[in-house]
Amino acid sequence: MNSRPNPFLSLDYEPALESLGDDYFDEVSAAEFPQHILRYRSDRLLPQIGLDPAAVKDIDFIEAFGKFQGREPLLALRYHGYQFGEYNPFLGDGRGFLYGQVRGVDGELYDFGTKGSGTTPYSRGGDGRLTLKGGVREVLAAEALHYMGVRTSRCFSLVETGEQLWRGDEPSPTRSSVMVRFSRSHIRFGTFERLHYLKRADLIKKLVDHAIEYYYPHIWGKSDAYALFYAELVQRVAELTAQWMAAGFCHGVLNTDNMSITGESFDYGPYAFIPTYDPLFTAAYFDYSGRYCYGQQPNICQWNLAMLQKPLKAVIDANDLEAGLAKFDECYAIAYRSLMLQKLGLVATNSSELDRLLQLTVSLLKETQISYHHFFIQLTESFSPSWREDVNSILFLVDVLPLDYWDEWRRLYHQVLGQLSREEMDNVSRRLQEVNPNVALLRPVIESVWEAIINEDDWQPFYDLVRQIQGGQ
């Protein structure tokens, strides 16, 4: 028995969502698991809530986020959503709950939300559990995206729970886990859509007010706060989508219940990083129509924002909603242009040459089908100030065909670099190092880590990969 005070139980939890009342959630109980093995703890997040990693023991994580001791109530959120374009009123937190909300040292409110913590009223016949592989994959996705500059939730802990789970057509059971997700909010587009379905305009207004007060406080109290709220949400989602696209990331299931009201990325199931630039690449094997393919993500996020207008019309003028959504394309284009130029080590100034270089880069990646991620890795590793002086010294990939694309790209990149000072060339090198990770989280990499775990219970490759993703620090 742990005789020390558990630092997680001493945090100053805020009943922010709880204060809305039980029209938005159900109180639930956590499952009791036969075993608790802490497989991952995010020491990098602890200082964000004012805790010293050295003072937090593994048993503290297990008690708080494996056994869920000392916290009441635990809240399963209610929501609906459009799933593959069809409205589904039978959703809600089916294998998770809101454990608690705390202020970070930055003054922002954060959620501890679970995944795999047991059944709720919304489990729909499911067991409410999370496979260990699903937990491992989400840890890796969240860390990879975070260190690529994507606005994302993070995994706070992953505990193996000792149960055997049967999934789909798998011939044998798989191991189980419970994960705790650390995010800005678990309020989804679908949270509002449920209230519209129930014709509760009063509850929609209450939830909009809550969202603005806690997550858009800079507009709280303004006469046009509602219109500003939606307009900023559109901007946040457009920028998030651009971050995914630049990172070469395909979420896989962009249903409206997987869209956060804070414009934050979360809930990584069948995600994948694209091996090559292919707009038709799909991450989910069950996405037969390609609705959520890589290249469709901007259109889908825009569509999800349009569907959100239905409940928000109870509070926000239709003209203001349309004006807000009309900015999506521009916000996305500006963000994507800036991010992709950063991946080339450049600053997004107003330049036709930069526009042409970006177009040519995307064409090069698409037409040659070279590895999307390794192109930028090799660019970063090979970069030299001499590239400013000699076009022939610029990275040359002999296996890239057709060569005319490659030659034209090198000439234009050389032309852009030639306009920079020697001091600015140092900034190009620094920017390349900061923006482009040195590891590509492709499916074979994840599978190799999982194989070590499932075959030999060897977690070292997983920890090594996490450390590499985090920059080796």
Side-chain angles (χ1 to χ4, degrees):
M1 184 68 182
N2 185 11
S3 59
R4 300 167 45 257
N6 188 317
F8 293 124
L9 304 186
S10 302
L11 292 173
D12 186 14
Y13 290 93
E14 291 191 27
L17 190 78
E18 183 185 352
S19 68
L20 287 171
D22 59 9
D23 290 305
Y24 301 90
F25 55 77
D26 291 88
E27 294 188 18
V28 295
S29 299
E32 294 185 7
F33 300 111
Q35 192 176 22
H36 302 88
I37 306 173
L38 183 64
R39 295 301 190 182
Y40 175 78
R41 51 179 279 175
S42 181
D43 284 354
R44 297 194 173 208
L45 285 174
L46 290 173
Q48 198 164 330
I49 55 172
L51 296 180
D52 177 4
V56 181
K57 307 302 181 185
D58 287 358
I59 188 62
D60 298 326
F61 277 91
I62 288 173
E63 287 180 349
F65 303 127
K67 298 180 179 180
F68 301 105
Q69 297 176 355
R71 280 291 303 155
E72 289 183 349
L74 307 173
L75 311 178
L77 276 62
R78 302 173 180 175
Y79 53 83
H80 291 176
Y82 289 90
Q83 298 193 312
F84 286 87
E86 300 294 328
Y87 192 79
N88 188 346
F90 304 107
L91 298 176
D93 279 338
R95 55 175 176 170
F97 51 70
L98 178 66
Y99 175 85
Q101 297 177 281
V102 297
R103 290 280 166 185
V105 295
D106 57 3
E108 304 285 356
L109 185 67
Y110 292 93
D111 286 9
F112 289 124
T114 69
K115 189 174 183 179
S117 51
T119 58
T120 76
Y122 309 104
S123 297
R124 294 180 292 167
D127 58 20
R129 267 55 170 183
L130 171 68
T131 66
L132 182 61
K133 185 176 185 180
V136 165
R137 281 173 48 82
E138 181 142 349
V139 170
L140 293 173
E143 288 305 286
L145 291 173
H146 173 73
Y147 285 95
M148 294 178 81
V150 177
R151 189 186 305 121
T152 178
S153 63
R154 308 275 297 279
C155 292
F156 199 78
S157 64
L158 180 67
V159 175
E160 186 170 359
T161 53
E163 294 179 322
Q164 293 189 324
L165 306 178
W166 294 89
R167 289 292 183 265
D169 298 326
E170 293 294 327
S172 58
T174 188
R175 290 153 70 173
S176 61
S177 68
V178 62
M179 185 192 74
V180 170
R181 183 186 292 132
F182 186 77
S183 69
R184 286 303 320 279
S185 176
H186 283 78
I187 298 174
R188 310 153 189 258
F189 288 16
T191 315
F192 291 86
E193 288 162 344
R194 170 183 168 270
L195 301 175
H196 176 68
Y197 180 87
L198 298 176
K199 298 181 172 59
R200 292 299 303 270
D202 57 326
L203 297 181
I204 293 173
K205 182 181 185 304
K206 189 175 180 181
L207 190 58
V208 172
D209 287 341
H210 173 87
I212 295 174
E213 180 182 1
Y214 283 95
Y215 305 113
Y216 298 78
H218 51 287
I219 62 173
W220 178 248
K222 293 187 177 182
S223 60
D224 55 349
Y226 291 158
L228 291 173
F229 158 69
Y230 182 72
E232 184 169 334
L233 175 60
V234 168
Q235 180 178 345
R236 290 188 188 188
V237 172
E239 290 171 349
L240 173 64
T241 313
Q243 291 167 2
W244 287 339
M245 297 299 287
F249 177 76
C250 185
H251 185 285
V253 189
L254 287 177
N255 298 327
T256 59
D257 56 295
N258 286 336
M259 300 289 290
S260 168
I261 203 64
T262 60
E264 181 182 55
S265 181
F266 76 109
D267 203 5
Y268 304 118
Y271 74 86
F273 286 87
I274 58 172
T276 62
Y277 187 90
D278 178 8
L280 299 180
F281 175 88
T282 56
Y285 72 89
F286 48 81
D287 186 6
Y288 304 112
S289 68
R291 177 181 178 85
Y292 296 140
C293 66
Y294 170 71
Q296 270 288 97
Q297 291 181 126
N299 291 334
I300 288 297
C301 287
Q302 192 171 22
W303 187 87
N304 288 344
L305 285 162
M307 293 302 100
L308 183 61
Q309 290 186 5
K310 293 182 179 181
L312 292 184
K313 282 179 181 176
V315 177
I316 307 173
D317 183 85
N319 292 329
D320 289 334
L321 290 170
E322 287 303 320
L325 189 58
K327 296 290 188 181
F328 182 94
D329 288 336
E330 179 185 4
C331 291
Y332 171 80
I334 291 172
Y336 182 73
R337 179 179 186 269
S338 175
L339 291 167
M340 289 300 290
L341 288 174
Q342 285 180 48
K343 290 181 73 65
L344 296 172
L346 305 170
V347 175
T349 56
N350 187 15
S351 163
S352 59
E353 283 182 327
L354 290 180
D355 291 334
R356 174 59 184 150
L357 178 62
L358 177 53
Q359 293 169 2
L360 191 58
T361 301
V362 174
S363 295
L364 173 74
L365 292 166
K366 183 177 180 181
E367 296 301 324
T368 63
Q369 286 295 287
I370 58 177
S371 169
Y372 182 87
H373 303 280
H374 285 104
F375 169 78
F376 293 105
I377 290 174
Q378 291 185 53
L379 179 68
T380 301
E381 292 178 345
S382 304
F383 182 80
S384 168
S386 67
W387 291 8
R388 177 177 174 272
E389 313 299 337
D390 180 13
V391 65
N392 293 318
S393 67
I394 293 179
L395 175 69
F396 182 75
L397 304 177
V398 294
D399 57 342
V400 172
L401 296 171
L403 290 176
D404 54 344
Y405 271 103
W406 189 236
D407 289 339
E408 185 180 357
W409 184 87
R410 293 170 78 208
R411 285 195 298 269
L412 188 53
Y413 193 49
H414 175 257
Q415 187 175 331
V416 170
L417 294 179
Q419 299 173 9
L420 304 178
S421 67
R422 294 185 184 279
E423 292 75 18
E424 288 172 323
M425 288 293 286
D426 292 335
N427 291 331
V428 172
S429 179
R430 175 185 52 77
R431 205 171 290 115
L432 287 168
Q433 297 286 343
E434 290 176 351
V435 173
N436 297 316
N438 62 4
V439 58
L441 193 64
L442 300 177
R443 279 173 169 158
V445 175
I446 299 174
E447 287 301 321
S448 68
V449 165
W450 177 245
E451 287 298 315
I453 293 171
I454 199 66
N455 292 331
E456 303 172 28
D457 203 30
D458 181 4
W459 285 82
Q460 197 57 49
F462 167 73
Y463 297 132
D464 290 344
L465 180 57
V466 171
R467 194 156 38 246
Q468 189 178 5
I469 287 170
Q470 294 172 341
Q473 300 173 5

